[in-house]
């Protein structure tokens, strides 16, 4: 059962890292007109702040990839980044609601749900210490 949770958490981390990598790159480097055309929520922010959000999403993608998908033994790091992802998606959802872009809300919910899976798996992994006995990290 624990193995299934780890596979699920790794898969969720990989999907979330992919999404955050794509969106973060897009928000960091795309022209503002292109961002507006695709309804990027960061266009509601000053340009520099929107770019900073994009860079933070790129960092989150890298951390999720490393500590969530490749080296999941560092579950606390992955859980912390997943918590950031939930907060990011909550902010995005609020901006989408304020701008009347309710069509984007299912995407926000899906990404937050993937992040929640990572957090739950990290919590359950800590509750099973016998699996890590004798392992070298």
């Amino acid at each position: 059962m624990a193995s299934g949770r780890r596979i699920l958490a790794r898969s969720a981390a990989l999907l979330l890292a992919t999404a955050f990598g794509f969106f973060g790159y897009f928000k960091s480097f795309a022209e503002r007109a292109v961002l507006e055309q695709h309804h990027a929520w960061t266009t509601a922010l000053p340009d520099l702040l929107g770019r900073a959000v994009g860079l933070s999403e790129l960092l989150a993608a890298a951390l999720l990839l490393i500590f969530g998908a490749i080296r999941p033994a560092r579950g606390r790091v992955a859980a912390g980044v997943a918590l950031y992802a939930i907060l990011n998606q909550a902010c995005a959802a609020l901006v989408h609601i304020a701008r009347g872009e309710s069509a984007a809300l299912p995407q926000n919910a899906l990404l937050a749900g993937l992040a929640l899976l990572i957090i739950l798996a990290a919590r359950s992994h800590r509750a099973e210490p016998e699996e890590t006995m004798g392992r070298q990290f």
Side-chain angles (χ1 to χ4, degrees), residues 17-84:
T18 301
F20 267 66
F22 174 76
F23 297 134
Y25 183 83
F26 185 65
K27 290 172 189 164
S28 297
F29 302 110
E31 297 290 327
R32 185 159 181 96
V34 174
L35 292 171
E36 290 170 353
Q37 177 184 2
H38 291 282
H39 307 288
W41 69 272
T42 54
T43 59
L45 304 172
D47 194 54
L48 190 58
L49 184 56
R51 302 294 178 179
V53 168
L55 291 173
S56 73
E57 288 177 351
L58 282 173
L59 177 61
L63 292 174
L64 282 165
L65 187 61
I66 294 166
F67 296 111
I70 297 172
R71 298 211 16 111
R74 302 285 186 212
R76 287 186 181 195
V77 175
V81 178
L83 181 59
Y84 163 78

Side-chain angles (χ1 to χ4, degrees), residues 16 20 41 53 56-57 79-95 108 111-113 115-116 119:
L16 198 58
F20 267 66
W41 69 272
V53 168
S56 73
E57 288 177 351
V81 178
L83 181 59
Y84 163 78
I86 291 172
L87 294 173
N88 175 280
Q89 291 307 299
C91 290
L94 290 173
V95 173
N108 298 132
L111 294 174
L116 185 60
I119 292 170

